[in-house]
Amino acid sequence: MWSTRDMSRLDGATALVTGATGGIGLETAKALSAHGVHVVIGARDTERGADAIRQLPGRGSVLSLDLACLESVRQAATDLHERVDRLDILINNAGLWWQPARRTKDGFESQIGVNHLGHFALTGLLLDLVERSPAGRVVTVSSIAAGAGSITRLDLRSLDGYRPTTAYNTSKLANLLFAFELHHQLTAAGASTISLAAHPGAARTDLFRDASPGFRVANATIGRLFTQSPQAGALPVLRAATDPQVTGGEYYGPGGPGRFRGAPKRQQAPRRAGDPAARRQLWTMSEEATGVIYPLRAGPVR
């Protein structure tokens, strides 16, 4: 069973982890830091980011980043270019869950805006730094809820008929479509950088802070039978980010019953995530929405 004991030393490497002020993001940052990585924590609240840095066993720094604001994403990318020469690992982890109907600062539905579009823009603006690493990796964190998502008739701005669960599922499917299309485009361009996806199963984190009181009580009681700790939930992400045996386009998650908990294993992605037409559709929509065009010289593999 793969665990942090299987991680090699990564002294001299730099990683950016979004949403690492708590939950699986913070546990991912701690494990990377313990293995010699300089961890940059991308945080909207820089005070919480600084607190997270103090919890790391090794070196770290904070990057001001609000994924709900494309101007902030662009500024964060500019700031990181001024601070590092290369980025070995980019972990797109931050996410919203079951939010009430609201929009980002750029007018997008908040869950698709933060969970997907913010990370799409950030990755495109930092891809040159990742490509400077001899073994650069982009890991995008999805969810088992992605299997219930659909981008059919997706409107990035509309709140008509909004349902929090539907919006979340769609955003998590978008994470997978993005990760796999990026893999294909990197392959076509002959890049050494790889793109993978991972999901934490059912991890007990503060992601549920916006759920109903009844759901939170159930999750804290009977839900403990089906969930796992944030440390365990971070393992699929860490394996995708560091295991020398993984390859681009793979998907990692807990290998136990229902994929809710257990040691991280390679998994089959939902069928919809492998649809080339859906990948192309979402990619085009994301470029138009964010204005970020990826610096890849070859077209996507079809």
Side-chain angles (χ1 to χ4, degrees), residues 13-102:
T14 300
L16 168 61
V17 185
T18 68
T21 57
I24 67 167
L26 179 56
E27 296 306 324
T28 297
K30 287 179 180 179
L32 290 172
S33 176
H35 287 80
V37 178
H38 174 89
V39 179
V40 181
I41 289 180
R44 178 174 54 86
D45 185 336
T46 54
E47 290 187 5
R48 288 189 65 196
D51 181 65
I53 292 298
R54 288 189 285 270
Q55 299 179 57
L56 302 183
R59 295 188 307 130
S61 58
V62 180
L63 179 70
S64 178
L65 170 65
D66 182 357
L67 290 163
C69 174
L70 291 175
E71 181 181 359
S72 173
V73 172
R74 290 183 179 277
Q75 185 60 56
T78 297
D79 292 345
L80 194 62
H81 274 86
E82 294 175 352
R83 288 160 54 174
V84 302
D85 295 324
R86 78 180 196 211
L87 185 62
D88 301 278
I89 304 168
L90 170 59
I91 299 180
N92 294 320
N93 166 75
L96 300 178
W97 182 81
W98 287 20
Q99 294 292 295
R102 61 177 61 140

